[in-house]
Amino acid sequence: EALKAKETELQLLKDRIRQEQAKKDALLAAQRLKQQQQQQQAELEQRKSRLNNAFGSAFANAAKARQAQAQQAAQAAAAAAPAPGSTAAVDADEAEVKRVLSSRNDYDVLLLKPGCDAAALKKRFKELAVRLHPDKCKAADATLAFQRAHKAYQVLQAHVH
């Protein structure tokens, strides 16, 4: 019986050793997994940094080019605009008033596409308000056109972010 007790004790010790070894193996596996995750995260950060550096200058250059094109277009439009008070200017004002009053929806009034951003909405309304303001525009129904443009701006402002 002493031998049997010793064998049982030996078996318990072996089981305890196996459990301890299993714990150590699990800890090592967890540490390896954590190291792999950290390494992957570091690699992702490096890739992100490289992409930001590479594309950052390209995006900046593209933005500058768009800005330059917009300025050129604005200068060309200003040069092509008729002188205030001229017959061509009055005719252009009449045409704009007629266009605004006959527009089917608020986007058409402001010559915008659905889904435009708040900056484009504000910019277009300001341009139209300057052009249609009754103090500046001498066309018949300029007041109605100005009010229609303002109403369209208010309605779209609630829908555009």
Side-chain angles (χ1 to χ4, degrees), residues 44 78 112 133 140 147 160:
L44 285 174
L112 293 171
H133 196 279
Q147 290 171 346
V160 175

Side-chain angles (χ1 to χ4, degrees), residues 65-84:
R66 281 193 305 272
Q67 188 177 22
Q69 287 175 343
Q71 287 175 345
Q72 288 173 351
Q75 289 171 351

